[in-house]
């Protein structure tokens, strides 16, 4: 009986300690511990065992972090800038802005804004191998069709559909594009070439909310809801946004947004009501410097604090 009580107290203390914490010393660098150093963390994706991936932009790296704040660099480093496929010990990366994880096949996908390509990273017994699966390396433009000949213009976030297809946010072309069976197609965009059209300016992040996709348009300072194959609409919010840069869903009817222009984390309820997440000394949300993204993992809201070179969390 005494052992059960002790275990209960330990779990209770652990849950209290996880309420909020800051990861990173606040100065740019690359180190997984003693101290942890990051250099412009910018995008998130769920990963394995209640961990998540983040793009460490200036380190040209993909790193993971768990609930306790333990960071692990999976591949990439500050001296690996460029473009080269192969074993990640030798591969080169540049301008990574999007990341997604395929838990069924244990694959990581990354999108390069500067090289205009999508790459697949496979994990074979702890050895990562990278190959380009779509885009024309270091060429920008617009072209659907064969994935190897397709052209993109400043790729950002990636999402993986339940059917295994890959969705990418093409900012320069203001489109969401789909990669499936070696072919690239357009789902929604600004011009007449898009099957579903919307007048947006700078769509910069997207996330699933059920079967819908919610999108931040930093240029229009708006949030959009896209039902693939059907319609897209702008949310009529009761508070103006300044520069929405990151978005996630809690799966319970609410959205969370990193408003980079206001240095705030916002909650949107019922696609209308906007409220600011309270800043406390513990969560550090009162000292955000260009928050770039948000993600919810196991009931914890994480924020990529871009210019502070930190990750910050708040238990919801």
């Amino acid at each position: 009986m005494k052992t059960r009580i002790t275990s209960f107290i330990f779990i209770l203390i652990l849950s209290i300690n996880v309420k909020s914490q800051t990861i990173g010393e606040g100065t740019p660098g690359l180190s997984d511990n003693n101290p942890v150093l990051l250099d412009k963390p910018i995008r998130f994706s769920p990963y394995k065992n209640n961990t998540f991936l983040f793009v460490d932009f200036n380190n040209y790296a993909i790193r993971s972090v768990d609930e306790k704040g333990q960071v692990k660099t999976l591949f990439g480093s500050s001296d690996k800038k460029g473009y080269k496929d192969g074993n990640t010990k030798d591969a080169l990366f540049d301008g990574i802005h999007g990341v997604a994880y395929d838990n069924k096949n244990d694959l990581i996908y990354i999108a390069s804004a500067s090289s205009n390509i999508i790459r697949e990273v496979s994990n074979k017994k702890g050895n990562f191998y990278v190959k380009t699966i779509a885009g024309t390396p270091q060429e920008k433009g617009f072209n659907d069709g064969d994935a190897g000949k397709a052209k993109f213009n400043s790729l950002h976030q990636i999402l993986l559909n339940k059917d295994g297809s890959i969705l990418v946010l093409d900012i320069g072309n203001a489109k969401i594009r789909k990669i499936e069976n070696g072919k690239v197609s357009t789902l929604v965009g600004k011009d007449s070439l898009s099957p579903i059209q919307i007048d947006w300016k700078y769509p910069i992040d997207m996330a699933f909310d059920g079967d819908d996709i919610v999108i931040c348009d930093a240029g229009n300072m708006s949030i959009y809801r896209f039902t693939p194959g059907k319609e897209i609409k702008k949310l009529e919010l009761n508070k103006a946004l300044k520069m929405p840069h990151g978005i996630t869903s809690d799966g319970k009817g609410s959205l969370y947004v990193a408003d980079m222009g206001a240095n705030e984390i916002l909650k949107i309820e019922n696609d209308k009501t906007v409220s600011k997440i309270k800043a406390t000394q513990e969560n550090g949300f009162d000292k955000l410097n260009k928050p770039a993204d948000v993600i919810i993992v196991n009931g914890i809201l994480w924020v990529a604090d871009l210019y502070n070179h930190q990750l910050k969390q708040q238990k919801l």
Side-chain angles (χ1 to χ4, degrees):
M1 184 67 177
K2 183 177 180 181
T3 301
R4 290 183 179 180
I5 293 174
T6 303
S7 298
F8 174 77
I9 293 173
F10 174 77
I11 293 170
L12 180 60
I13 292 173
L14 179 61
S15 66
I16 292 173
N17 289 340
V18 170
K19 184 176 181 180
S20 60
Q21 63 175 318
T22 296
I23 312 302
E25 289 293 292
T27 55
L30 178 60
S31 173
D32 289 349
N33 52 61
N34 300 321
V36 174
L37 297 176
L38 321 175
D39 197 342
K40 291 190 176 179
I42 196 167
R43 282 283 173 251
F44 290 143
S45 171
Y47 193 44
K48 306 174 182 179
N49 305 319
N50 291 325
T51 68
F52 64 89
L53 301 175
F54 67 95
V55 176
D56 201 359
F57 185 74
N58 275 358
N59 281 319
Y60 318 110
I62 300 297
R63 307 171 75 179
S64 69
V65 65
D66 65 15
E67 188 176 82
K68 297 179 182 178
Q70 295 178 331
V71 175
K72 180 180 180 180
T73 301
L74 301 185
F75 54 86
S77 70
S78 57
D79 62 348
K80 291 185 177 296
K81 181 179 181 181
Y83 170 71
K84 182 182 178 181
D85 282 347
N87 190 298
T88 53
K89 293 180 181 179
D90 303 313
L92 302 176
F93 307 90
D94 191 16
I96 305 174
H97 266 275
V99 61
Y101 178 63
D102 177 351
N103 60 8
K104 181 179 179 181
N105 299 297
D106 194 21
L107 297 171
I108 297 172
Y109 293 94
I110 57 176
S112 169
S114 53
S115 295
N116 298 298
I117 52 173
I118 296 93
R119 304 166 83 181
E120 176 190 282
V121 185
S122 56
N123 184 356
K124 298 179 180 179
K125 298 181 179 180
N127 295 314
F128 291 97
Y129 185 89
V130 59
K131 67 177 181 179
T132 300
I133 62 169
T136 306
Q138 299 173 321
E139 289 187 25
K140 68 179 179 180
F142 172 74
N143 186 41
D144 280 343
D146 290 341
K149 298 179 180 179
K151 290 186 179 181
F152 304 91
N153 187 0
S154 191
L155 291 170
H156 275 55
Q157 189 57 302
I158 306 174
L159 296 178
L160 301 182
N161 263 328
K162 295 176 183 178
D163 62 9
S165 61
I166 303 168
L167 305 181
V168 291
L169 196 55
D170 186 341
I171 291 182
N173 289 311
K175 301 175 185 291
I176 294 177
R177 302 174 69 188
K178 181 179 181 179
I179 305 164
E180 185 176 28
N181 299 323
K183 300 289 184 180
V184 177
S185 60
T186 297
L187 298 185
V188 59
K190 186 174 182 178
D191 60 25
S192 60
L193 297 175
S194 304
I196 297 177
Q197 297 175 35
I198 187 69
D199 186 20
W200 55 19
K201 292 183 180 179
Y202 204 64
I204 201 164
D205 191 33
M206 60 182 179
F208 279 116
D209 184 30
D211 292 330
D212 289 348
I213 298 171
V214 285
I215 303 116
C216 289
D217 183 349
N220 274 330
M221 298 174 286
S222 300
I223 307 296
Y224 294 80
R225 179 175 292 277
F226 175 46
T227 304
K230 295 182 180 180
E231 65 175 0
I232 187 169
K233 60 183 180 180
K234 183 170 74 172
L235 302 189
E236 299 299 327
L237 304 177
N238 68 346
K239 176 183 176 180
L241 309 182
K242 291 189 176 181
M243 188 189 293
H245 193 279
I247 191 167
T248 194
S249 166
D250 66 0
K252 302 175 182 179
S254 296
L255 307 175
Y256 290 80
V257 173
D259 191 328
M260 183 176 281
N263 287 313
E264 294 177 346
I265 306 303
L266 306 173
K267 181 178 181 180
I268 301 174
E269 298 175 273
N270 303 315
D271 281 359
K272 182 177 181 179
T273 306
V274 180
S275 59
K276 177 182 174 181
I277 300 298
K278 183 180 178 181
T280 67
Q281 185 177 1
E282 290 77 18
N283 67 24
F285 288 3
D286 57 334
K287 297 178 182 178
L288 296 173
N289 190 357
K290 306 300 182 186
D293 205 4
V294 282
I295 192 172
I296 298 172
V297 180
N298 197 26
I300 297 174
L301 174 67
W302 290 85
V303 176
D305 194 353
L306 187 71
Y307 282 9
N308 280 327
H309 313 289
Q310 294 175 325
L311 304 177
K312 295 176 178 177
Q313 63 162 219
Q314 174 68 53
K315 191 170 180 65
L316 296 177

